[in-house]
Amino acid sequence: MANKQQQHGRRVPVLARGMFVALALVGGGLTLALDEPAAQEAKPGVLHDIASTETSQTAVLAGGCFWGVQAVFQHVAGVVGVRAGYAGGSAETATYEQTETGTTGHAEAVEVTYDPRQVSYGRLLEIYFSVAHDPTQIGGQGPDRGPQYRLAIFPRDEKQANVASGYIAQLNAAGVFSRPIATTIEQAKGFYQAEAYHQDYVYNNPGEPYVVIYEQPKVGALRHLFPGLYREKPVLVADSAS
């Protein structure tokens, strides 16, 4: 509990901005744009995907605050587990306190474990670029700024790297977004699970202003845009630990 309370304290500036956005919308006549977001809509399908008969694979994706990205993929059919954590840096600096300094090389990320016979890597990328993050924002996501909130894909092998780079090129060539895609592809250096209080955060804190304003709409967009892949009951870290 103490750690969670401390963590809330470090998020106070973010929550304050979030509540200011809400007040501006309710009050009317005042518009606050932290960064004009790309429209949440289903993006074109991946042209070149990975065909696999394996029962389990993983994908590591960073798209700003890991709470919302985790929540999105927890509701995707075929996903069997999603862990919030850190990617891009070393094991020695894989803590929330150190990552939040923006000096460790880590990004807040999620590791998605999925059954490729039910949902492919390419389909996960379609969800990632459609609802999990705005790939046109530079330097962070929404109110969360800094290299620890950068947008990045960490391929686990050459096949994933080829699909990811090909899909980014496909989206850019088609002019799907009004601005160039800022999401990068980085070499995987390991994934390190975040502290327990970060896991299942959106599920455990549905009324928190930051969650209501920035994270829950992503899950709603998944339900609306990918009804065939959406499942109501999320797969939680807590369930796998019990």
Side-chain angles (χ1 to χ4, degrees), residues 9-24:
R10 286 191 295 276
R11 288 271 186 184
V12 165
V14 172
L15 293 176
R17 285 194 292 269
M19 286 185 283
F20 184 71
V21 172
L23 290 172

Side-chain angles (χ1 to χ4, degrees), residues 172-211:
N172 276 328
V176 172
F177 298 99
S178 60
R179 297 178 294 189
I181 290 175
T183 305
T184 60
I185 299 174
E186 299 187 23
Q187 183 177 359
K189 297 180 181 179
F191 176 84
Y192 308 97
Q193 183 166 329
E195 296 81 354
Y197 57 82
H198 286 300
Q199 308 301 332
D200 308 330
Y201 196 88
V202 171
Y203 179 83
N204 291 328
N205 300 274
E208 185 175 300
Y210 180 91
V211 169

Side-chain angles (χ1 to χ4, degrees), residues 109-238:
V110 301
E111 181 187 64
V112 182
T113 301
Y114 62 100
D115 184 342
R117 299 169 303 175
Q118 298 183 46
V119 60
S120 70
Y121 182 70
R123 288 292 274 166
L124 295 179
L125 290 184
E126 291 170 27
I127 293 170
Y128 173 67
F129 280 100
S130 297
V131 302
H133 80 310
D134 176 356
T136 69
Q137 291 189 14
I138 299 173
Q141 192 77 171
D144 298 314
R145 316 307 295 176
Q148 68 272 31
Y149 296 113
R150 68 187 183 275
L151 319 176
I153 299 170
F154 296 87
R156 285 301 176 86
D157 54 33
E158 186 176 356
K159 289 182 179 179
Q160 286 191 355
N162 289 338
V163 171
S165 60
Y167 192 46
I168 290 175
Q170 175 189 338
L171 294 176
N172 276 328
V176 172
F177 298 99
S178 60
R179 297 178 294 189
I181 290 175
T183 305
T184 60
I185 299 174
E186 299 187 23
Q187 183 177 359
K189 297 180 181 179
F191 176 84
Y192 308 97
Q193 183 166 329
E195 296 81 354
Y197 57 82
H198 286 300
Q199 308 301 332
D200 308 330
Y201 196 88
V202 171
Y203 179 83
N204 291 328
N205 300 274
E208 185 175 300
Y210 180 91
V211 169
V212 172
I213 295 167
Y214 295 107
E215 309 295 38
Q216 288 179 347
K218 298 176 184 178
V219 178
L222 173 70
R223 180 192 299 111
H224 175 68
L225 298 175
F226 296 90
L229 286 174
Y230 177 80
R231 65 175 170 206
E232 189 65 35
K233 180 176 173 53
V235 54
L236 302 175
V237 173

